[in-house]
């Protein structure tokens, strides 16, 4: 989905990696390497500075909420 300011797209690829891409197609970043394919599991902050997402621990399989700062990674 798109960030509220329309500058960043969050998506999950076929390898279940959560990625961010700038609206112009540049600056692709991997946010999480072990994610869920369900597109409803992340959300941008209203100011588009943060991405909150759910992540699964590979060993325990417990879910946790994680925060990612868009500007600094």
């Amino acid at each position: 989905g798109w960030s509220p300011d329309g500058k960043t797209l969050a998506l999950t690829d076929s390898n279940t990696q959560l990625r961010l891409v700038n609206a112009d197609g540049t600056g692709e970043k991997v946010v999480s390497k072990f994610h869920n394919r369900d597109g409803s599991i992340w959300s941008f902050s209203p100011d588009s500075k943060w991405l909150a997402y759910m992540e699964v621990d590979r060993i325990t399989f417990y879910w946790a909420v994680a925060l990612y700062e868009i500007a600094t990674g």
Side-chain angles (χ1 to χ4, degrees):
W2 289 99
S3 60
D5 64 7
K7 294 181 180 178
T8 308
L9 176 66
L11 56 96
T12 304
D13 67 18
S14 61
N15 295 319
T16 71
Q17 296 182 60
L18 177 58
R19 296 176 177 267
L20 293 177
V21 182
N22 294 332
D24 65 3
T26 64
E28 184 173 335
K29 302 174 193 175
V30 174
V31 174
S32 174
K33 293 186 178 183
F34 190 66
H35 193 68
N36 185 292
R37 292 179 195 270
D38 182 354
S40 65
I41 299 189
W42 65 75
S43 182
F44 285 96
S45 62
D47 62 6
S48 300
K49 292 183 179 182
W50 295 88
L51 182 72
Y53 62 96
M54 296 294 295
E55 188 170 58
V56 177
D57 183 279
R58 288 182 174 204
I59 297 170
T60 65
F61 296 103
Y62 290 139
W63 286 91
V65 175
L67 290 174
Y68 183 87
E69 188 174 15
I70 307 295
T72 63

